[in-house]
Amino acid sequence: MKNIAVILSGCGVFDGAEIHEAVLTLLAIRQAGASYQCFAPDKSQLHVVNHLTGDVDETASRNVLTESARIARGDIKPVTECDVDEFDAIILPGGFGAAKNLCTFAVDGDQSRPDAEVLAVCKAFAEARKPAGYACIAPALAASVYPQGVKLTIGNDEATATGINAMGAEHVNCDVDDVVIDNEHKLVTTPAYMLAQDILEANAGLTKMVKSVLAMK
């Protein structure tokens, strides 16, 4: 049975991991006959968003690992404990947390800086030639992980794609139910809720991403 490391970025689309994407990814992994272990950085979120109103709560502070534990039902570890030798692949669901807590793309665009601990883990998988899947906006982080020219997608948003290209990646437009595969770097990306208007649309691409990652040798 293949074992997959999953990195989460909080809990909630506007300031953490996109919950539907995270759960659908975990479900797809298990339905494909693989197992998973969730990880997250143990640090404060960039900010906390009221998901009912969309407003930032300037007085609140939440921890990325603690919030991610909500999705993982408590079975989660600090990202520093992710040992590449124990896993066959790594997958990162999206949500704004991927661009706010795992890197600074949401704030800094093409000057984005990855979280050092997350980058170390993701680079370890890349350098070990182990497959990886990045969904939604998470490919903005992948642009900092992989060499210049790596092919990836966030869908078809021109401004976001331009920022990612400026970081050295090669963005490829992609439909919501499809994936972009860079076989040279063993990277699979899918737009998910960068394009999805419905949970079924998100599920189609995420499931294809998981299956493509697991099929890589």
Side-chain angles (χ1 to χ4, degrees):
M1 178 187 291
K2 289 188 174 181
N3 193 22
I4 313 301
V6 177
I7 297 184
L8 301 178
S9 58
C11 182
V13 58
F14 299 126
D15 58 13
E18 211 297 321
I19 298 171
H20 292 178
E21 288 182 13
V23 174
L24 290 170
T25 295
L26 299 179
L27 178 61
I29 290 170
R30 291 295 297 120
Q31 287 180 326
S35 60
Y36 62 79
Q37 174 63 55
C38 293
F39 298 91
D42 186 2
K43 68 175 189 177
S44 295
Q45 295 180 182
L46 175 65
H47 55 221
V48 177
V49 175
N50 181 323
H51 280 62
L52 187 61
T53 65
D55 297 329
V56 175
D57 185 345
E58 302 288 357
T59 66
S61 176
R62 295 188 183 182
N63 178 278
V64 178
L65 178 61
T66 302
E67 290 300 295
S68 298
R70 294 175 180 271
I71 295 174
R73 294 175 59 85
D75 184 9
I76 193 166
K77 299 177 180 180
V79 71
T80 51
E81 295 182 15
C82 182
D83 182 351
V84 64
D85 294 333
E86 297 179 359
F87 297 94
D88 299 286
I90 188 170
I91 293 180
L92 289 81
F96 280 110
K100 293 178 177 180
N101 304 325
L102 304 187
C103 67
T104 65
F105 186 81
V107 176
D108 297 326
D110 61 17
Q111 300 301 308
S112 176
R113 302 180 310 280
D115 175 272
E117 294 176 350
V118 173
L119 179 65
V121 170
C122 292
K123 272 191 169 292
F125 279 84
E127 291 168 359
R129 302 281 300 155
K130 292 191 175 183
Y134 289 65
C136 190
I137 193 61
L141 170 63
S144 296
V145 174
Y146 292 87
Q148 298 271 312
V150 63
K151 293 180 175 62
L152 49 76
T153 192
I154 49 82
N156 58 22
D157 183 78
E158 186 174 348
T160 307
T162 298
I164 287 175
N165 285 338
M167 295 172 66
E170 180 183 335
H171 183 268
V172 181
N173 283 350
C174 180
D175 292 334
V176 66
D177 60 350
D178 207 354
V179 297
V180 167
I181 300 176
D182 185 322
N183 284 305
E184 180 182 354
H185 298 103
K186 296 190 175 181
L187 175 66
V188 185
T189 53
T190 191
Y193 275 105
M194 286 295 289
L195 284 181
Q197 300 297 312
D198 177 87
I199 195 169
L200 289 174
E201 290 185 348
N203 185 56
L206 290 165
T207 299
K208 190 169 185 178
M209 177 188 72
V210 169
K211 288 181 177 179
S212 298
V213 168
L214 292 176
M216 283 182 167
K217 303 299 183 183

